[in-house]
């Protein structure tokens, strides 16, 4: 890329690949946000409910930050990818969990594992974008450092919830 941020919509070179990369992360962010919102609702009134609601708020903020970064880099949003992320989360609800009409303890564990993967993938994406935060007219390094730190904290939080869900699903 040149010193100025060029539109990332040409079909050749780094800009094209960056557009694909960011839209893939946006699809993942959409799916992850839908998942954590659903989990927060399913756990309303439980000890993990407030933590999941906080994570939902943070993940929504992270998705907004990604959209802002895409605007800064002039990367167009590919709505079909956003819709694909939304649909993928809805389809994931159809998994067999050992219960037909009620929520299984296994559901929480599997959902938290999916959320863990998503949060760690998001952190990896922020670290990759951090490479673009050098030179004038580039991404905000402080913002990306904040997003990396928050994703690391989110991963630790989700891991704690995941281990608690594992203990519930598989009591000793």
């Amino acid at each position: 890329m040149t010193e100025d941020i060029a539109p990332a919509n040409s079909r050749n070179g780094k800009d094209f690949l960056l557009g694909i990369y960011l839209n893939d992360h946006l699809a993942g962010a959409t799916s992850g946000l839908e998942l954590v919102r659903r989990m927060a609702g399913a756990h309303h009134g439980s000890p993990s409910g407030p933590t999941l609601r906080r994570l939902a708020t943070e993940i929504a903020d992270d998705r907004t930050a990604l959209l802002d970064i895409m605007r800064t880099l002039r990367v167009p949003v590919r709505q079909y990818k956003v819709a694909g992320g939304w649909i993928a989360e809805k389809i994931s609800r159809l998994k067999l969990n050992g219960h037909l009409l009620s929520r299984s303890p296994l559901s929480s564990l599997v959902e938290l594992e999916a959320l863990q993967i998503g949060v760690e993938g998001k952190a990896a994406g922020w670290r990759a974008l951090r490479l673009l935060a050098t030179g004038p007219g580039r991404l905000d390094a402080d913002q990306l450092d904040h997003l990396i730190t928050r994703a690391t904290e989110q991963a630790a939080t989700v891991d704690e919830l995941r281990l608690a869900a594992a203990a519930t699903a598989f009591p000793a």
Side-chain angles (χ1 to χ4, degrees):
M1 276 176 66
T2 64
E3 263 322 287
D4 294 336
I5 297 173
N9 56 5
S10 67
R11 288 203 53 90
N12 50 9
K14 294 182 271 185
D15 294 336
F16 178 68
L17 297 177
L18 181 61
I20 293 170
Y21 182 77
L22 292 175
N23 273 284
D24 286 351
H25 272 275
L26 182 59
T30 301
S31 181
L33 180 56
E34 289 295 311
L35 172 62
V36 74
R37 283 180 174 163
R38 179 168 50 89
M39 292 177 68
H43 292 273
H44 180 75
S46 77
S48 60
T51 302
L52 288 165
R53 281 192 301 281
R54 178 180 54 81
L55 283 169
T57 298
E58 290 178 4
I59 290 170
D61 291 345
D62 294 343
R63 185 178 181 280
T64 298
L66 177 57
L67 286 165
D68 291 343
I69 287 168
M70 291 173 72
R71 272 190 293 280
T72 296
L73 297 173
R74 292 187 268 174
V75 172
V77 171
R78 301 294 182 211
Q79 290 300 327
Y80 70 91
K81 286 195 177 193
V82 174
W86 185 86
I87 291 168
E89 190 281 327
K90 303 306 181 225
I91 290 172
S92 74
R93 297 178 186 196
L94 300 175
K95 65 187 168 301
L96 297 175
N97 62 12
H99 291 193
L100 187 57
L101 300 175
S102 64
R103 187 168 172 82
S104 165
L106 188 57
S107 295
S108 294
L109 177 58
V110 171
E111 289 167 353
L112 286 162
E113 287 177 349
L115 187 59
Q116 181 84 35
I117 291 166
V119 169
E120 290 178 6
K122 172 177 62 178
W126 296 140
R127 288 190 300 271
L129 288 175
R130 181 65 172 79
L131 298 172
L132 297 177
T134 57
R138 297 297 178 136
L139 297 178
D140 182 343
D142 291 337
Q143 177 195 28
L144 287 163
D145 289 343
H146 169 73
L147 291 167
I148 291 165
T149 298
R150 184 161 63 185
T152 302
E153 292 167 357
Q154 289 170 353
T157 299
V158 172
D159 195 46
E160 289 175 18
L161 293 171
R162 185 186 62 79
L163 292 174
T168 300
F170 312 124

